Amino acid sequence: MAKFELGTESEIAHYYNDDETLRLVNAMANVIGIPIEEVWEAYGGFLIQFTMETGWDELLRAMAPDLEGFLDSLDSLHYFIDHVVYKTKLRGPSFRCDVQADGTLLLHYYSKRSGLYPIVKGIRNLRKASSGKYLGVVREVARRIYDTEVVMKVQERKQEHLDAFVTEHVVFVITQIENSNSVQKAISSKTDSQIDLTQKCFPTAIRQETRVTDLLELVHPEVPFSYESIRYYKNSLFVFRLKGIGDIVHEVSDEAKTVLLKGAMVFIDDGKYILYMCSVNVTTVRELIERNLHLSDMQRHDGTRDVIMLNQSRMSQVELKFVFFLYYYPCLWSWPWTNS
């Protein structure tokens, strides 16, 4: 039906171009008797399930503290896969979230490949969703990582001309389903369009005046923590330990492990001020989780993010390249309904 040579239509890890992929999906929809949209929706849920069950659950859980942050971090993850690890020039989609006053999220999805947005969306029928099948990427992430259920509706779909490309722009409305039987995580940390800065502040730094010695303890170099020492050792790497509970993001019952900062001292305005440019001193996802931090807590240009993801890719038993080729270039293999 898909006009492939018999026996070659379901090769594992085989690259299919867009035309071949669409032929496979169309044939599958006709054989099973479901809309093409539902085939893509099921594929999206299967992709997240497969990724988390093959060694990448910790990285996905460490992306952000909420669904909004997770979706906003996808672009940097795609860039890392493309430009840092494999240099494959993949044509991945782009995502952007806007928080609404009523607590819903507007998810803007951009793709140079038209018609694949159902991979993100998920099925409309809640009865089917509760059976564990036909969940798209976003709904599967919400359920598996953030222990909550959401519904998605397409608010707008249009074609936009950007440079020499025609880009599909789909706007989704994401709504959290209320469940009185359990305590759910919010899908966004923002109550409105303004960021609550106290969420990102160290607990003892919320007073009007705070001394740097109240927050930091100098670990390296082993010299007195003074202006003179910093000037003498201005070319050194400076490592500090955050005092107190060491948790700058979340309120937790158990004390988090010590947070170390490493960076350089930059003198400003002829030495009247000193700017400490630093990053959190972690190299693995496990170290990040132990300190109740997420990749979204780091600036997107911070190389520490790439170090963490690169180390995770080396430790995984399944190559990251193969997992995400499934996302960029969907292919037919081990579909979730083959055994049902």
Side-chain angles (χ1 to χ4, degrees):
M1 185 176 293
K3 298 181 181 180
F4 280 86
E5 183 180 350
L6 185 63
T8 65
E9 69 277 4
S10 59
E11 293 179 359
I12 296 178
H14 173 73
Y15 166 71
Y16 294 90
N17 62 38
D18 286 357
D19 291 337
E20 293 172 329
T21 300
L22 292 176
R23 281 158 48 197
L24 287 170
V25 172
N26 289 337
M28 182 178 297
N30 289 330
V31 170
I32 300 176
I34 63 174
I36 295 176
E37 180 177 309
E38 291 191 11
V39 176
W40 287 126
E41 291 167 349
Y43 178 80
F46 165 70
L47 174 63
I48 296 300
Q49 175 184 340
F50 175 80
T51 303
M52 295 190 69
E53 292 178 356
T54 51
W56 294 96
D57 55 321
E58 283 194 342
L59 176 60
L60 295 183
R61 293 182 188 280
M63 290 280 286
D66 52 51
L67 182 61
E68 176 212 353
F70 183 96
L71 296 172
D72 278 337
S73 297
L74 284 178
D75 281 15
S76 60
L77 178 61
H78 292 162
Y79 184 89
F80 164 78
I81 296 167
D82 185 8
H83 293 81
V84 178
V85 181
Y86 298 109
K87 297 180 174 61
T88 51
K89 297 182 180 180
L90 299 175
R91 294 182 296 164
S94 181
F95 299 87
R96 174 173 61 85
C97 273
D98 292 329
V99 183
Q100 304 302 293
D102 60 359
T104 61
L105 295 178
L106 285 187
L107 173 62
H108 297 263
Y109 163 90
Y110 304 88
S111 177
K112 294 182 176 65
R113 304 163 72 204
S114 179
L116 299 186
Y117 70 94
I119 295 177
V120 178
K121 182 173 70 68
I123 196 70
R124 296 181 298 272
N125 190 316
L126 294 183
R127 180 182 59 81
K128 290 184 179 181
S130 64
S131 68
K133 296 183 179 181
Y134 304 108
L135 293 175
V137 167
V138 174
R139 295 202 60 198
E140 193 72 18
V141 166
R143 183 175 66 88
R144 286 179 173 267
I145 298 179
Y146 301 107
D147 300 319
T148 189
E149 294 284 347
V150 298
V151 292
M152 298 182 65
K153 295 181 179 179
V154 176
Q155 183 182 79
E156 185 179 8
R157 182 187 178 193
K158 57 185 177 181
Q159 302 290 327
E160 297 179 353
H161 293 270
L162 300 177
D163 296 330
F165 299 97
V166 177
T167 299
E168 182 172 58
H169 179 192
V170 181
V171 182
F172 300 100
V173 179
I174 305 177
T175 305
Q176 187 173 25
I177 301 175
E178 298 295 334
N179 187 349
S180 58
N181 297 327
S182 62
V183 179
Q184 293 181 308
K185 299 179 182 178
I187 59 176
S188 172
S189 58
K190 303 173 187 176
T191 55
D192 51 32
S193 59
Q194 301 297 320
I195 299 176
D196 184 2
L197 294 179
T198 61
Q199 294 178 7
K200 300 296 181 182
C201 290
F202 193 68
T204 58
I206 59 177
R207 296 174 295 179
Q208 292 182 349
E209 182 177 344
T210 305
R211 295 178 300 176
V212 67
T213 52
D214 294 337
L215 305 177
L216 303 175
E217 177 184 348
L218 182 60
V219 175
H220 178 83
E222 296 181 355
V223 296
F225 188 11
S226 64
Y227 180 88
E228 291 76 16
S229 295
I230 294 175
R231 179 172 287 277
Y232 290 149
Y233 290 86
K234 62 181 180 180
N235 294 326
S236 296
L237 175 70
F238 281 81
V239 180
F240 289 92
R241 181 183 68 84
L242 283 176
K243 293 183 176 180
I245 64 173
D247 181 4
I248 62 175
V249 181
H250 307 288
E251 294 180 1
V252 293
S253 57
D254 297 327
E255 183 173 345
K257 289 197 173 184
T258 299
V259 174
L260 295 179
L261 304 175
K262 63 177 180 179
M265 295 294 184
V266 179
F267 287 85
I268 301 175
D269 196 8
D270 295 326
K272 293 181 181 179
Y273 304 95
I274 301 176
L275 174 64
Y276 181 46
M277 302 181 63
C278 64
S279 302
V280 178
N281 188 23
V282 293
T283 58
T284 66
V285 170
R286 174 52 52 187
E287 291 176 341
L288 204 65
I289 294 174
E290 289 174 346
R291 287 156 180 80
N292 294 302
L293 297 172
H294 296 86
L295 288 173
S296 62
D297 295 317
M298 303 177 183
Q299 293 297 319
R300 287 174 172 79
H301 65 269
D302 192 339
T304 304
R305 296 168 62 111
D306 291 345
V307 170
I308 292 173
M309 290 190 287
L310 188 59
N311 284 337
Q312 183 68 19
S313 68
R314 289 171 177 169
M315 290 186 294
S316 177
Q317 295 179 356
V318 177
E319 287 190 22
L320 181 66
K321 182 177 181 179
F322 175 62
V323 173
F324 281 92
F325 253 100
L326 292 176
Y327 183 55
Y328 288 111
Y329 299 107
C331 60
L332 173 63
W333 77 288
S334 186
W335 288 82
W337 48 70
T338 54
N339 294 324
S340 60

